Amino acid sequence: GEGSSKAHYAAIAKDSTCEQDNCWNRFFVEVVETFVDEIAKYMCYVYAGICALRYFSFIWAHVPLIILDGLTADEEAAEVDAKAGNTFGEHAEDDEPERLFVEHLDPEGEGRGGSNEEEEEEEEALASKKGPGVFTKWRLVLGSTFFVYESVFVAMGALAVIFDDPLFTAFFWCDLTFFPGSQTVVNAIKFKAGEMMNTLVLGIAIMYIWMVIGILLFRENHADNNGQALCVNMFQCTLSYFMIALRGDGVADLMDDLTIPLNIVDSVLPIGEPNERFFLPLLLWDFTYNWLFIYILLAIITGIVIDAFGGLREEKEAAEGDLKAVCFVCNLERFRVDQDGIGFDKHVKIEHNPRWYLFFLIYIDGKSDALLNGQEKYVKSRVWPATGNPSCEWIPRECTDSIKVEGEEDPNAEVYQRMDAMEGDIGEVKTALSRIEEMLSKIVPKDDDTPAERSAA
């Protein structure tokens, strides 16, 4: 505790045999370091608890979404395969004579394995009723990178407690890659990762070619400042190029101190000391390596990264422009809604507000099925079906009440026609009633009329 630490330090300070520096060293080693170790130990427990809570939240909230997204992707892939099968099926008419011949030889279908289309359809219907199996769900979950990341995250917390080592808690710094500011850099690297890897492989190939040339022509020049050889064999030479030439200023870092010749003859002929031979070929070899690998290749990688940032910016601007020019719900363009509808801004705020659709789903999800009306039951059966995958058919696509779709009849047209007919009939009835009232007024005398007026009438 704090009291024991002070007492221990006081005991060290009273020790007349220790010098001032040694006393401070003993204090930090025996008191401060022990105190920090205790804090780190409890931090490991706290970190493990946070990791466990985070992992439980992930399993509870995100795993169902992972399964839903995976099933939706599988369904879309199946639809694409079915469309491709229908495309190939268009050419099945060419095989019609062969099929008729086979059916003539084997009318019962025994030679074809006794396959029955009705049985296959029943099996497919039964499988769709059962829904996705446990194996399919586990396959989707285990194949998710988010599940793997969260599992490793909680495993690091457990290892920190088991081994009592806070170094395992450093894994949480990986969460910085998910921050909005870091996502730009990470996405840029992911966006052009293939091109950068191809460029890196090309650079390694160039380095290997220059390494072989250096071994064949300038083996004796490969040495460090102490005169130790760096290219005795291919393995040592490869490691030397990776460790020194790749990270430094090129192959010049692998060369022993060179002596610059006094004339062109000495710089070309293989005479003199090893550091004086073939100076011009060695200079050309070093210069071309620096020019190809360090200047051009690194410039290409830098250009790829800059191009990746430009591509991400264009995608972001395109997405923002799409939200401003196209309705998120019905996919109608701004120009058409402004010309034929109530206006795009009013349309996305009143008719097709995405938040209202979200609130509606939350509302019907929390409402009892017995209290739902027909429309709500229909939407809930599509969004949360008992069997099969969710469907988005209930969402309007390229249509709205304020715009009439070309070629589509107005469902209220008949009602409007009947209302117009009823208005005409009502007008005729009013005219007939007015005539009847006029005739009755002439036939039936009024109460305030005199007998003379009645006889005259």
Side-chain angles (χ1 to χ4, degrees), residues 318-383:
E320 294 177 353
D322 184 75
L323 290 177
K324 295 179 181 179
V326 180
C327 176
F328 179 77
V329 177
C330 66
N331 203 33
L332 283 174
E333 297 180 355
R334 171 186 286 269
F335 178 78
R336 183 177 178 186
V337 178
D338 289 337
Q339 294 294 322
D340 303 331
I342 60 176
F344 185 80
D345 295 334
K346 190 176 181 181
H347 169 76
V348 297
K349 291 181 180 179
I350 298 177
E351 290 186 332
H352 290 164
N353 193 330
R355 295 181 180 179
W356 291 2
Y357 281 82
L358 177 61
F359 297 157
F360 175 69
L361 293 178
I362 296 174
Y363 168 73
I364 62 176
D365 183 40
K367 193 175 181 181
S368 175
D369 294 341
L371 302 177
L372 297 176
N373 56 29
Q375 295 177 347
E376 294 172 349
K377 288 182 179 179
Y378 172 77
V379 174
K380 190 171 184 178
S381 64
R382 293 295 182 270
V383 179

Side-chain angles (χ1 to χ4, degrees), residues 18 67-68 90 98 153 268 313 324 389 400 419 439:
C18 70
I67 297 174
L68 181 61
E90 294 177 356
E98 182 179 356
F153 202 93
V268 176
R313 183 177 64 253
K324 295 179 181 179
N389 299 326
T400 181
M419 291 178 62
M439 293 176 62

Side-chain angles (χ1 to χ4, degrees), residues 22-42:
N22 293 333
C23 289
W24 279 110
N25 292 337
R26 287 179 57 186
F27 172 74
F28 278 102
V29 171
E30 298 179 9
V31 179
V32 177
E33 186 176 354
T34 304
F35 182 69
V36 171
D37 290 340
E38 290 294 329
I39 293 178
K41 181 178 180 180
Y42 287 109

Side-chain angles (χ1 to χ4, degrees), residues 35 58 67 82 90 122 135 149 172 217 241 273 338 364 405 419 446 450 456:
F35 182 69
F58 173 78
I67 297 174
E90 294 177 356
E122 292 178 359
F135 176 77
Y149 176 79
F172 83 94
L217 300 179
Y241 271 76
E273 298 295 331
D338 289 337
I364 62 176
V405 181
M419 291 178 62
K446 297 180 181 180
T450 59

